[in-house]
């Protein structure tokens, strides 16, 4: 079975024998599903270094700055607004409702901006205090850990394109096949479907659809797009640049 480590330091990664996969697990981009699929197809010749939240951005920068040629670089991506909406609702479930017995500093944000649409509208508010609060909230947890947080565009552009593989939420199976074709020399004949995870958390609520709406008005979407300009720059570059060997 494939070996794995979460957020190891660069020295640990470089000291690991075998083929090294640096997995940039951007939140709400099916990263857990991707990891589980890799485990079912790759063996102990491979080690997966999963870089996710905390100080992952610093570790990624350190690893890629001088040692990009030591890794197969796997990047999860998703259309930024869709990722942001999913991140808002997941954190509302996981950090607000799930931990509701604990009084937390961010409860005030969810009470003030209970839906992603209200947050999006507030990002363009004429009231400076409302706009500032919404901007700060939009950088909270998974909302703030977007494509550009993990891999700023200048860093990506400095890495050899043939070392990078991208798995998009919209094309998971095909993108994983391309990775397997490169690292294994073939696509596994007995493929397993990409597993789904976390997506059914809303079913645990009697009124899940009402608690976690995905609706965005034109105004809210426009404001969120402006807030995510750096993420869009990375997403668009990854989408149009030929990657992988």
């Amino acid at each position: 079975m494939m070996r794995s480590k979460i957020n190891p330091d660069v020295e640990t990664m470089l000291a690991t024998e075998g083929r090294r996969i640096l997995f940039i697990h951007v939140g709400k981009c099916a990263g857990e599903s991707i990891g589980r699929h890799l485990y079912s197809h790759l063996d102990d010749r491979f080690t997966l270094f999963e870089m996710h939240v905390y100080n992952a951005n610093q570790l990624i920068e350190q690893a890629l700055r001088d040692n990009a040629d030591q890794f197969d670089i796997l990047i999860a991506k998703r259309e930024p607004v869709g990722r942001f909406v999913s991140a808002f609702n997941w954190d509302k479930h996981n950090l607000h409702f799930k931990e509701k017995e604990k009084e937390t500093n961010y409860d005030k944000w969810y009470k003030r901006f209970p839906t992603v649409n209200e947050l999006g509208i507030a990002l363009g508010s004429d009231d400076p205090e409302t706009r500032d609060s919404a901007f700060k909230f939009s950088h909270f947890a998974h909302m703030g850990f977007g494509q550009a947080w993990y891999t700023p565009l200048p860093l990506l552009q400095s890495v050899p394109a043939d070392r990078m593989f991208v798995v998009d939420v919209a094309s998971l199976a095909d993108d994983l096949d391309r990775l397997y074709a490169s690292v294994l020399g073939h696509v596994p004949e007995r493929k397993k479907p990409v597993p789904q995870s976390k997506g059914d958390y809303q079913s645990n609520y009697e009124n899940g659809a009402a608690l976690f709406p995905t609706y965005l008005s034109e105004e809210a979407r426009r404001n969120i797009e402006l807030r995510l300009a750096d993420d869009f720059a990375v997403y668009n570059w990854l989408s149009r640049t030929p990657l992988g060997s």
Side-chain angles (χ1 to χ4, degrees):
M1 179 179 291
M2 179 182 68
R3 297 163 294 177
S4 68
K5 299 179 186 294
I6 297 177
N7 288 359
D9 57 43
V10 176
E11 290 75 15
T12 297
M13 289 190 278
L14 294 178
T16 302
E17 296 183 355
R19 194 148 185 176
R20 310 177 185 101
I21 300 177
L22 185 71
F23 177 32
I24 300 171
H25 176 175
V26 181
K28 309 316 297 173
C29 292
E32 186 174 312
S33 296
I34 292 168
R36 289 168 61 190
H37 199 262
L38 294 174
Y39 279 119
S40 69
H41 288 85
L42 300 180
D43 57 29
D44 60 6
R45 293 172 295 172
F46 298 86
T47 301
L48 185 77
F49 302 115
E50 183 175 357
M51 317 306 288
H52 186 55
V53 302
Y54 302 111
N55 64 334
N57 60 332
Q58 299 172 17
L59 295 168
I60 292 166
E61 195 275 334
Q62 293 167 11
L64 298 186
R65 184 179 55 215
D66 300 314
N67 300 287
D69 60 348
Q70 300 297 309
F71 303 97
D72 295 296
I73 304 159
L74 178 60
I75 306 175
K77 78 178 175 76
R78 181 177 183 178
E79 186 278 320
V81 172
R83 196 207 72 84
F84 185 88
V85 171
S86 180
F88 177 95
N89 283 329
W90 169 253
D91 288 334
K92 183 179 180 181
H93 153 70
N94 195 48
L95 298 176
H96 182 47
F97 290 135
K98 191 175 177 182
E99 300 291 333
K100 64 183 178 180
E101 71 277 6
K102 303 175 184 177
E103 186 66 25
T104 60
N105 291 330
Y106 43 80
D107 285 343
K108 61 183 180 182
W109 279 333
Y110 286 108
K111 291 173 182 176
R112 186 169 185 181
F113 310 115
T115 69
V116 69
N117 188 63
E118 289 171 276
L119 175 59
I121 291 174
L123 285 169
S125 174
D126 292 331
D127 175 51
E129 191 278 330
T130 297
R131 188 171 62 248
D132 182 63
S133 292
F135 184 76
K136 290 178 179 177
F137 186 30
S138 74
H139 285 79
F140 172 70
H142 282 81
M143 286 184 285
F145 297 140
Q147 300 280 173
W149 183 85
Y150 283 91
T151 53
L153 189 55
L155 176 63
L156 281 180
Q157 292 173 329
S158 72
V159 176
D162 63 359
R163 304 302 305 175
M164 290 189 280
F165 300 87
V166 175
V167 178
D168 194 304
V169 169
S171 52
L172 280 178
D174 290 342
D175 292 342
L176 284 169
D177 280 353
R178 280 190 284 274
L179 172 68
Y180 294 135
S182 177
V183 301
L184 294 174
H186 67 279
V187 175
E189 294 182 4
R190 300 182 65 182
K191 294 192 303 179
K192 299 179 181 179
V194 180
Q196 300 297 314
S197 61
K198 295 184 180 178
D200 63 348
Y201 69 87
Q202 294 185 26
S203 64
N204 296 323
Y205 297 85
E206 290 184 5
N207 54 343
L211 287 173
F212 306 102
T214 59
Y215 167 78
L216 290 175
S217 66
E218 291 185 10
E219 177 185 2
R221 177 174 291 276
R222 181 173 62 252
N223 291 338
I224 292 172
E225 287 175 349
L226 289 172
R227 154 69 182 83
L228 300 177
D230 289 344
D231 286 346
F232 270 104
V234 172
Y235 177 83
N236 291 334
W237 187 88
L238 288 171
S239 299
R240 66 173 179 264
T241 302
L243 302 173
S245 55

